[in-house]
Amino acid sequence: MTLDQTHWQNRLDELAAKHGVPGAQLGILRLGTDGADDELLTAATGVLHAGTGQPATTDSVWQIGSISKVWTATVIMQLVDEGALTLQTPVAEVLPEFRLRDPETTAGVTVWHLLTHTSGIDGDLFTDTGRGDDALEKYVALLADAAHNHPIGATWSYCNAGYSVLGRIIEVLTGQTWDQAIKAKLFAPLGLTHTTTLPEEAMVFAHAMGHVKGGDDPVIAPVWGLPRAVGPAGLITSTVSDVLAFARMHLLGGLASDGTRVLSAGSAEAMSAYQTDCPEKRLLGDSWGLGWFRCDWHGHRAYGHDGNTIGQAAFLRILPEAGVAVALTTNGGHTHDLYVDLYDEIFSDLTGVRLPEPFEPPAEPVATDLAPYAGTYVRESVRMEVLEEDGKPTLRITVTGPIAELEGTPVQIYEMTPVAPALYAVRPEGMESWVPVTFYSLPTGEEYVHYGARATPKKHG
């Protein structure tokens, strides 16, 4: 059965409207079998910019956010294939200027730790180091003053900073900027025509603008993009067609559509293979590979990545057993709710595999003791307070630093609904999806809250 263009266009239109998403672009790839051609369906809905009303089209470009990390990881694995480094190479061996607060920690961080988000480097440092070709070099220098959230390899915490460091490693080993290297090593061999890393390149095409609020009264984001130093962690701009060309290469074990070997089969396999556990297994995946996160869909192994920038969100999922990949780019509104509804329909219809049941509190209230978890948790740019307010478990999040100026809502307060011991659920205003709040301790006693894919340590005294 061929992909039904009319059906999926209608479902994208309907569900984007339901979830207040100003504009979206959808792509579905199904690999051909027994000599048949691949099938590729693309659709777009809504507007690129609520202020101008410019319609979204299938060749307009969108920020894919942190899906960019998998592209950066792929270039690192190409360099591993070339023998330029190994996964166990210490970062300081490639970047002698790399410094953290503790010399022992500096010496211990490897390429593998950065790829798997287990370095312990506080990951949300968004300092703007300028638009020059030395932006990443300057960014790495800032890490000497950045906090270290957990011992190396002791737990998992999403780390944007680590991918900027990987971008700098690429620059040193290739003699090019990250932007130049990723074009030469990925965009060109994959034949991508609408994929860029710099805003002036994206401006050549019709491009999406982020919205910090969707629905009937959308609010335009205060800026278009993040600083250049965040590039390797989240600044690629693309179409779903180009994103699916990248996904296809991974599905085919490193081969481009014309048969060019972009990545070794072994490296492609390692990227989606198990590398480390996630302490919280409900928000993204249950485990992490090298760049990809890994999902258990009722016993079927999928992998993918999400991306969020200022008012834009993107989602990529691959089900290798079925040869199906789906990409979605959006520019505001309740984007995660759109992803859940749309992807569950698509994968169920095309593969018979359903997404996991949504995380939510049990029907019957659960009694839990908040006392062991009450207190203040702090990491770079974020302060989280767990307390009782009006007799209810409450999570108060205060965002500080550069990111607070961009997001517009520096303080967020959520009632926490008990789910199980050490597990609560919160639901941001207007969203259907619940988000887990997980409390846990390391074997060495350090206490953490895991929320939004980040481990935040408890502050004592």
Side-chain angles (χ1 to χ4, degrees), residues 268-356:
E269 182 180 3
M271 286 185 67
S272 61
Y274 172 87
Q275 299 289 333
T276 190
D277 267 326
C278 298
E280 186 284 298
K281 303 180 184 300
R282 300 166 182 88
L283 183 64
L284 296 174
D286 61 0
S287 55
W288 214 268
L290 302 170
W292 296 111
F293 61 64
R294 296 157 37 84
C295 314
D296 181 354
W297 290 354
H298 299 286
H300 301 267
R301 179 56 63 184
Y303 60 90
H305 212 289
D306 292 348
N308 289 278
T309 57
I310 308 302
Q312 299 196 47
F315 306 84
L316 174 61
R317 296 293 184 276
I318 298 171
L319 187 61
E321 68 184 54
V324 172
V326 182
L328 173 70
T329 51
T330 62
N331 64 353
H334 298 310
T335 56
H336 189 266
D337 293 335
L338 172 61
Y339 150 74
V340 170
D341 282 356
L342 192 57
Y343 277 44
D344 190 50
E345 285 190 26
I346 291 170
F347 280 98
S348 178
D349 184 76
L350 299 184
T351 72
V353 177
R354 299 291 302 267
L355 270 62

Side-chain angles (χ1 to χ4, degrees), residues 68-105:
S68 305
K69 290 182 174 67
V70 191
W71 301 60
T72 295
T74 300
V75 176
I76 289 289
M77 296 308 290
Q78 289 175 322
L79 293 169
V80 170
D81 289 342
E82 295 166 14
L85 78 170
T86 73
L87 294 178
Q88 300 309 320
T89 297
V91 172
E93 187 177 302
V94 185
L95 305 179
E97 71 276 19
F98 175 69
R99 294 283 188 277
L100 301 173
R101 289 180 182 176
D102 173 49
E104 188 174 332
T105 302

